Each structure stands twice: as C-alpha cells, then as structure tokens.
Amino acid sequence: MRVIAQGISKDYFRQRRDSNVFTALFPTDMTVSEGEIAAVMGRSGSGKSTLLNILAGLLSPTAGKVTYDDADIFAMSDDERSVFRNKHIGVIPQVHTGLHSLNVRQNIMLPYDMYGEKCPDERIDELLEKLGLMTLADVYPDELSGGEMRRLSIARALVRRPDVILADEPTGDLDGDNTRIAMELLAQAAGNGACVLFVTHDDEAAAYAHKVYRMSQGRIE
Ligand SMILES: Nc1ncnc2c1ncn2[C@@H]1O[C@H](COP(=O)(O)OP(=O)(O)OP(=O)(O)O)[C@@H](O)[C@H]1O
Ligand SMILES: [Mg+2]
C-alpha cells in the first residue's frame, strides 16, 4: 500500500494579537511507498505531529488530500475512516493512550476486540516477549512506567500487521536497548512490505530510515 499526501496543510485558530490563524503546516506533498521507512525530524512545534495525524486520518487538513492506494481517506465518513484505519494503519501516538480499564494484554488486543475479532494468542505473546512486557501482561496502564507504556503502544500498533505504520516519537521514552528493539520491529514490518513513517528527535532511531525529512516552521526543507 502506498500513502500519498497532496498539498496537505493545516491552519489552527487561536487567539493572537496580530492574527488568529496559525499555519502549522504549509501545503506539503509526500509519498511513502511499500517497504519504505521515512523519518521526520525537526524542532518542537515545527508541525511533525500535525503532519503525522493528518496522514493517519486523525486530523482533517485545511486543504489537500491523502490517499492510501486509491482510497481517499478524507472522502470517507468518520466511521468508514475508523474501520479503514483499524484495518490498514498502525498508529503509535505521541501521547500515551492506554485504556485504564484494560490490562496490558487486553490493550494490545484492542484493535481486534473493537470489531469483535479474535486476536491470535501467538501474536500477542510474540509482541509481549519481544518488547519485554511478558511479566506485565496482567498489569493496568496506571501502574506502568513511561517506557513500558510506550512499548504497549508499539505492540498495539503492530498487532494486526498493518500495511502502514505511523509512529510519533516511538522511542521517545525508551533506553538504548529498547530503542533498538522497537526500531527492529518497525524495520521488520517494512521488510514485510509495510510503509513506515515515524517522527523522532533521536539520531539512533533516524539511522533506521531510508529517507529523513526535516521540518521547520510548518515546511519540509
Ligand atoms: N489544536 C491546536 N490549536 C492551535 N495550535 C495548535 C494545535 N495543535 C498544535 N498547534 C500548534 O501547531 C504547531 C505544530 O504543532 P505540532 O504538534 O505539529 O508540533 P511538533 O513538531 O509535533 O512538536 P513536538 O516535537 O513538540 O511534538 C505548534 O506551534 C502548536 O502550538
Ligand atoms: Mg509532536
């Protein structure tokens, strides 16, 4: 599956003295192809998460369109887009989003459970094992450290072997060993044909990318 963004931009409205429109993303074109790993780097506030959230269909662009092969994700209804995302896209969000009422194992199974499907036990066990979460499988998110929570998000995004992986600072709170484990998992997914785009501030993580985009003040340089 190929992700193509054409002329996507984002204006936010906020109260300011001069103007109340703030352009977080100027019109941007981008393509991520099968098997490709792309990294987006840049200072805080440069628009990286805005770009990633638009690619993921989580945030509507002010202008432009995003297609996954022939599917225009913003031409879909919200429900259609949610189903599409669940089926094709693994998102690792910048902020932690574990459901508090579910334990680690149940959180990882969520992309299957949400639609009444059964998650293969071997797949969860494989991810719990690789990400060092096996002993925490029955623990609830409130009891996890930041890095453990991050690893939970990675497992949940990968569990369905999505065609496209969009990861916002996937190694943000991980130590060196876990950074390598997480990046190896993303590289392995790309090796199996997934498109991977991730945001990072970490040179070690960026070294896994085939292509590095640098963002500054809402533009890719
Ligand atoms: N909902 C919003 N309303 C108004 N402004 C916003 C909103 N969300 C983001 N912004 C602004 O848009 C700019 C880009 O934000 P974005 O989250 O994309 O940055 P980022 O590059 O991901 O930064 P970081 O590295 O800190 O995560 C920032 O200046 C931010 O303050
Ligand atoms: Mg961000």
Side-chain angles (χ1 to χ4, degrees):
M1 188 165 249
R2 174 190 290 230
V3 185
I4 302 179
Q6 292 171 274
I8 54 169
S9 65
K10 186 69 186 179
D11 291 336
Y12 288 118
F13 291 89
R14 62 184 184 191
Q15 220 46 57
R16 279 193 161 190
R17 209 156 28 132
D18 43 350
S19 144
N20 52 11
V21 177
F22 171 76
T23 303
L25 182 66
F26 288 90
T28 297
D29 297 329
M30 181 177 270
T31 300
V32 192
S33 303
E34 276 171 30
E36 189 180 0
I37 308 177
V40 180
M41 301 187 83
R43 291 176 63 168
S44 178
S46 59
K48 305 178 300 296
S49 295
T50 301
L51 170 69
L52 184 135
N53 289 332
I54 293 173
L55 293 177
L58 292 167
L59 179 71
S60 306
T62 302
K65 72 177 188 177
V66 177
T67 51
Y68 280 67
D69 286 343
D70 295 327
D72 179 342
I73 58 169
F74 292 105
M76 299 174 187
S77 68
D78 282 351
D79 285 350
E80 285 168 344
R81 194 161 47 247
S82 297
V83 171
F84 185 89
R85 188 182 310 109
N86 188 56
K87 199 162 169 197
H88 297 291
I89 316 176
V91 182
I92 302 171
Q94 182 171 6
V95 290
H96 295 317
T97 55
L99 286 191
H100 295 275
S101 55
L102 301 179
N103 67 27
V104 168
R105 180 182 287 271
Q106 291 163 336
N107 263 289
I108 297 172
M109 295 188 322
L110 199 58
Y112 281 94
D113 275 358
M114 238 166 26
Y115 292 93
E117 293 170 39
K118 169 88 180 87
C119 178
D121 287 333
E122 317 82 69
R123 180 63 177 152
I124 309 187
D125 288 342
E126 181 193 355
L127 287 166
L128 287 171
E129 187 65 56
K130 282 198 175 141
L131 287 162
L133 293 170
M134 199 52 105
T135 56
L136 298 170
D138 300 328
V139 163
Y140 287 81
D142 291 341
E143 299 163 41
L144 298 178
S145 72
E148 289 161 353
M149 189 64 220
R150 177 71 58 197
R151 286 180 274 145
L152 184 166
S153 301
I154 295 170
R156 191 184 47 198
L158 297 181
V159 72
R160 295 192 71 123
R161 302 183 195 280
D163 300 309
V164 177
I165 298 165
L166 299 171
D168 202 343
E169 304 193 23
T171 63
D173 17 37
L174 299 185
D175 56 60
D177 285 344
N178 278 305
T179 292
R180 282 185 286 280
I181 291 167
M183 292 313 301
E184 291 294 343
L185 282 170
L186 296 185
Q188 197 178 27
N192 292 327
C195 327
V196 177
L197 179 136
F198 68 103
V199 169
T200 190
H201 292 285
D202 177 355
D203 290 330
E204 191 182 350
Y208 285 83
H210 305 136
K211 206 185 255 179
V212 178
Y213 295 97
R214 294 193 188 272
M215 279 198 87
S216 171
Q217 297 182 27
R219 299 180 205 269
I220 289 178
E221 295 178 328

